[in-house]
Structures are given as C-alpha cells and as structure tokens.
Amino acid sequence: MNQQIETLKHYVLQLEHAIATSDADVVRNTTRVMKDLLGQIDYDFKSVKEKTTGIYFKSINTIPFLYKPVYKLNPYEGDFLETFSMERTEQLKRAGAIGEHNKFWTDHNVIKGNVFGSVPKELISEDAAFALKQMGWDEVKVEILDFGKRVTDIKEIYEFCEENFKQFIMISEGPTQAMLALKFAV
C-alpha cells in the first residue's frame, strides 16, 4: 500500500503541473489514474482491516445527531450516570423532544456503548434542536456502521468498537436485526 501512496503523490504533482499549464488531456488522464489508485487503496485497506480484526463492517450512512457530552473521566463512578440520566430526561422534556428520543431508542435496542444522551437531529423540530443546543448539547456527525446479521460474537464486536472508536453505541436494529454501531465524531 505504501508504494500506491507514493505513486499517488507523484500523480498529484503531475496534476498540479497539468492544471498550471492548462493541459486538459493530462488532467483527465491523471485524475482517472488517481481515482483508480484511490479505489485500489480503499479496497486494500478494507481487506487488511478485515484480515487483521476478523470483523467485517461497512459504513452505510452518516447523519447529524444531537449529543449530550459527558465531562467526567469515569462516568461509571458513583451515581453520575443516574444524575446524568435524570438531567438528560429533563432537558429532553423542556425541549419537547422526549417522545421522539424515546421512540427512536425503543426501536433501536442498545447493546453497549459509551454515549449516554443522543437523538437524531432529523427526528426533532428545529425549536427542540435549538433548545437542546442552548442546554449544552452538541451537534455531531454519526457514522452508521453495519456489521450485518451474521454476527455471532457480540463481545468481539464490542471490543473492536472500544479499541477503534472514541464514542459509540452498539445497537440491534429492530426490524432487520442487523448489528449496527453508531460512531460519534466527537
């Protein structure tokens, strides 16, 4: 893969020169070759990742969520999560988003994770989103990763997520029974 990256760097320089000299044929050919190289690098990376981890997944979508940050190193310490949960519920009620939040999380069975307050932005009104942001919630992009239905070892998936993602929630989607991970970009 390193050789492919070096070749890609060479083509970037060639592309810069072709653009500077307005050579349309070289620009077309160079971008085509670069696109093929990027596709090959992506394929090789996914193959290596699957062989290394033994876990296959694919990114199926990225959507905005509102996320209630946790500012504690160990949220499992003491009664923090209980207090956090009560505050989260109260904020969702004040914003008028508790119904949408509860419906979403009822339809998506949470298995494990380290995010304790979130809701898809598209499910709530603009006023509710504004109110939650005023109360300290952040808008973040969430990548949805599909591990499929053939998952047999949930613990292995959880360990993979814990090692590779800073903030995530593992869910089992109700209708499809697919194993998904919501990877929060925080």
Side-chain angles (χ1 to χ4, degrees), residues 9-35:
K9 288 177 184 177
H10 166 77
Y11 279 107
V12 168
L13 293 174
Q14 195 173 24
L15 179 62
E16 286 176 341
H17 183 267
I19 290 172
T21 59
S22 299
D23 190 338
D25 289 335
V26 173
V27 168
R28 269 192 299 279
N29 290 334
T30 304
T31 54
R32 182 189 51 75
V33 170
M34 289 173 66
K35 182 180 175 188

Side-chain angles (χ1 to χ4, degrees), residues 129-149:
F130 179 78
L132 289 172
K133 287 179 185 178
Q134 292 297 103
M135 291 182 250
W137 291 53
D138 296 329
E139 184 174 336
V140 298
K141 296 287 185 199
V142 174
E143 185 177 8
I144 302 169
L145 307 173
D146 186 352
F147 291 92
K149 293 182 190 178

Side-chain angles (χ1 to χ4, degrees), residues 85-119:
S85 176
M86 288 188 296
E87 181 179 285
R88 175 196 65 212
T89 300
E90 183 57 36
Q91 290 175 345
L92 286 162
K93 283 179 183 176
R94 280 189 296 179
I98 190 75
E100 294 86 351
H101 170 272
N102 289 347
K103 180 169 178 11
F104 178 80
W105 290 113
T106 300
D107 291 344
H108 298 84
N109 182 32
V110 175
I111 297 169
K112 287 193 177 244
N114 57 11
V115 172
F116 308 106
S118 66
V119 64

Side-chain angles (χ1 to χ4, degrees), residues 72-85:
K72 185 165 174 92
L73 284 176
N74 184 1
Y76 302 102
E77 198 173 76
D79 68 344
F80 176 79
L81 284 179
E82 185 178 324
T83 305
F84 183 89
S85 176

Side-chain angles (χ1 to χ4, degrees), residues 1 16 20 29 42 66 73 77 99 121 125 129 133 137 141-142 157 169 172 181 186:
M1 196 176 330
E16 286 176 341
N29 290 334
D42 183 50
L66 289 177
L73 284 176
E77 198 173 76
K121 184 179 177 194
S125 70
K133 287 179 185 178
W137 291 53
K141 296 287 185 199
V142 174
I157 300 261
I169 299 174
S172 173
V186 292

